[in-house]
Amino acid sequence: MSVYLLKLCSEHLRPRRLVFPKRLSTQVAQKEETSSENESLKVFEKLSSIYQKKYEKKPQKPPFVKNLFVGEVDTDLLAYPEAIDKEELIKLENALLPVDFHFSQESEGVGLTKSVIDKLASMKLFGLQAPQLEGGSELKISEVLRYYESMGKQYNNIGAVHHESCGVNNLLKLGNENQLKKYLPDLISGKSICTLCTPDNKMSNMEVQMQATFDANKNVWILNGHRTKVINGSNADLFIVFAETEDKVRKGTKHVTAFIVDKLFGGITTKPVECHGLKETDIADVTFENTHIPAENVLGKVDRGEKMLAGILSEMWLSSGSYSIVQTKALLNKFIQHCKDISTKSENLATSEIVKKKVAEITCSLYAMESMTYMTGALMDQYEDQDCDLEAAIVKAYCAKYTHEAALSCLSLIGSPGFEEGHWCNEIYRNSLSNLILVEPMDHLKLVIALQGLQHAGIIIQEQVRKIRNPFYHATANLIRMWTKRKDHEDRPSLNLKLKEYFHPSLMNQANILEYSILRLQYVTEVLLADEGMEVVTKHVNLMRLADCILEIYAMVASLARVSRSYCIGLTNAEHEILLTESICMNAVLKVKANVTAIDIGYLSNSDAGHFAVAQRTMDIGHYFPEHPMAKNY
């Protein structure tokens, strides 16, 4: 519990001296006394509803996924982490009953209006991680993810999740005592709505970099710039804005600083945007023109925005996992019902091979989504300041990708009815597309995932890479490496990690598949760094392949850890979960093998060289260049 909350509590409970006016009046004195008593009663009521939370965290562990790039596996984490004990789980399920019931009703289709906000606030769905003294619920991240699942049952409430994950949570993590005192109560009560304005996607042709300059005379920052497609953009009362600022010491050097921008500061205009999906969500372009921000509204420290940005985005990425889970569940259930409804006595569509394959693929991807989302949340809950930024990014990328693929797969079988606006599958498809590209475009996110992994690996194996890149100076070391790595070159690595010892014996084959994939990831990471050096940041095609590998590997890790726990404690359908995990591993290893092979053989042997040449010719001419197939040259 933060210091400012303890001070707030002590201020409320401290005995107060009544100040009477010059003309003593019994009535006035009675009102003053009653007011003080009522205030004290409110504080005591608030305190009486508080129960002690257990937040004992273990010491920080090395980053799990980042270490996979160098072939290191923290086997402690192969036991699926459980951040919530039985007592907490019972309380969570009881608290979720009215929430699940509310969001299971048909959506009113009105978006995040004032009445909806008041309803959500009355159900204590804002400030889920905020201290109880401030009206929050002080929940763990794993519990919050479960709440997001309930809220995601109505697609028009993505704005509420965005307000919570990007507004309240980020202010809690980064705000100082005065900022929390000033803004947090209104965010929790729903009086204010918050949104996040990060730097625009660099591929956007509408990008105008937000810049802030400091006016020392007025002690204010002056913000100018533009951010496109902001969730809650029109309705937001508070903006968390990341803007470019100039280093005060080294002139010309640019950094990023975060600000809390109140709409009352002025100079803010919004323009609603009609998007392909998320019809009931408030999405707008936001422009800041000479917006004066007081110096005390700097979030965190000046010029430290780059370091803060990854931590701020991680919970937003993780929350999108919950949203994708509930979307995919709805898609699967409705698709199964659709197939049963259109079946006839002569033809049962639900038992056809094509339907079975689609249902199995969606079920497997859904199982992996759940496994990695809640595994990441539990890691954040269990370990102090655990580095899970990469895991959270993988959750967003994997879930958004496979939800979209699942919706497209169902549409291809449903046919023309799914083309109609308002059809359930069309709605899910549009929403999944928005999640794929709206806040963080998929390709950009994959590049971030690959580069973070390579950066971590590069620090650990830099000496080894240096020797590989200078073979004449380190001939002996390279000869030894050629001998020890001969099996890796032949795509048959020695399974010396012995991961099968950390899962249930019935999962031996799947554990070997996982180990093979991790060792291939380690090998191809070394190949990329050795072949490309610092130029690896420009090799986008191979970076995308590397990201696809780690997406599938983390899905395998989370699924295997989960199913091993399920089977050991005897959960219902655990045997079928093993079949699920077997399918996940078999499909994942094929993708890993294909991507690693494409990187290993090089662009001259795969299709990249030809593709780059064709692309260059097309770009030079400016249009499709081949002659028409009916053209003649005689």
Side-chain angles (χ1 to χ4, degrees), residues 241-519:
V241 179
F242 283 78
E244 191 178 75
T245 52
E246 186 175 19
D247 195 303
K248 293 180 180 179
V249 179
R250 294 176 294 175
K251 298 298 181 182
T253 304
K254 300 293 184 180
H255 295 287
V256 175
T257 303
F259 301 92
I260 302 173
V261 184
D262 195 316
K263 204 167 190 176
L264 298 177
F265 292 165
I268 303 174
T269 56
T270 61
K271 181 182 178 182
V273 177
E274 187 174 344
C275 293
H276 186 65
L278 306 176
K279 292 189 301 183
E280 306 299 335
T281 302
D282 168 29
I283 300 174
D285 293 342
V286 182
T287 302
F288 301 92
E289 187 173 356
N290 294 326
T291 301
H292 286 58
I293 308 170
E296 61 265 22
N297 274 45
V298 171
L299 191 60
K301 295 182 179 180
V302 176
D303 298 340
R304 298 294 178 88
E306 295 100 330
K307 294 182 179 180
M308 295 161 51
L309 194 55
I312 276 184
L313 292 174
S314 62
E315 283 200 33
M316 182 181 71
W317 290 333
L318 198 55
S319 68
S320 72
S322 294
Y323 178 69
S324 296
I325 288 169
V326 73
Q327 272 195 323
T328 311
K329 280 183 180 178
L331 176 75
L332 178 61
N333 295 340
K334 290 182 178 181
F335 180 69
I336 292 172
Q337 190 59 48
H338 168 80
C339 293
K340 289 181 177 179
D341 289 343
I342 65 173
S343 295
T344 62
K345 291 182 178 179
S346 59
E347 184 180 4
N348 187 358
L349 184 62
T351 61
S352 66
E353 283 193 354
I354 188 170
V355 170
K356 284 182 178 180
K357 182 171 176 59
K358 290 182 186 294
V359 169
E361 288 174 345
I362 297 172
T363 305
C364 289
S365 60
L366 181 54
Y367 188 83
M369 288 181 208
E370 286 184 331
S371 302
M372 61 170 59
T373 299
Y374 284 95
M375 181 173 183
T376 305
L379 291 177
M380 292 180 173
D381 287 330
Q382 278 195 333
Y383 300 98
E384 194 70 41
D385 296 324
Q386 185 65 20
D387 181 359
C388 287
D389 295 341
L390 191 54
E391 284 88 338
I394 290 171
V395 167
K396 164 67 187 292
Y398 188 95
C399 293
K401 172 185 176 182
Y402 281 100
T403 299
H404 178 69
E405 287 185 4
L408 186 60
S409 177
C410 291
L411 272 177
S412 66
L413 190 139
I414 292 171
S416 57
F419 187 69
E420 299 173 6
E421 188 172 352
H423 189 277
W424 58 266
C425 196
N426 193 307
E427 289 288 316
I428 295 175
Y429 172 76
R430 287 169 177 260
N431 292 332
S432 69
L433 182 61
S434 301
N435 193 33
L436 194 70
I437 61 177
L438 182 58
V439 178
E440 192 72 40
M442 178 58 63
D443 285 355
H444 179 259
L445 188 58
K446 283 186 178 181
L447 292 177
V448 169
I449 291 169
L451 287 172
Q452 278 196 14
L454 287 176
Q455 182 185 35
H456 178 79
I459 295 171
I460 296 174
I461 62 173
Q462 59 179 338
E463 184 63 23
Q464 185 177 341
V465 170
R466 185 180 66 83
K467 291 179 180 179
I468 297 172
R469 290 179 63 80
N470 296 277
F472 295 110
Y473 294 98
H474 305 281
T476 303
N478 279 283
L479 286 172
I480 294 173
R481 178 180 175 275
M482 288 174 61
W483 175 254
T484 56
K485 294 285 185 178
R486 67 191 187 281
K487 288 187 177 181
D488 291 304
H489 286 296
E490 298 169 0
D491 192 15
R492 50 185 189 93
S494 300
L495 304 183
N496 48 19
L497 299 178
K498 299 180 180 179
L499 298 186
K500 62 185 179 182
E501 296 179 3
Y502 299 93
F503 297 109
H504 191 275
S506 60
L507 299 169
M508 183 183 298
N509 291 334
Q510 293 92 316
N512 287 337
I513 288 174
L514 171 62
E515 184 169 345
Y516 164 85
S517 301
I518 292 172
L519 292 173

Side-chain angles (χ1 to χ4, degrees), residues 213-222 259 291-296:
T213 56
F214 185 66
D215 187 336
N217 295 326
K218 297 180 180 179
N219 197 31
V220 297
W221 290 86
I222 302 174
F259 301 92
T291 301
H292 286 58
I293 308 170
E296 61 265 22

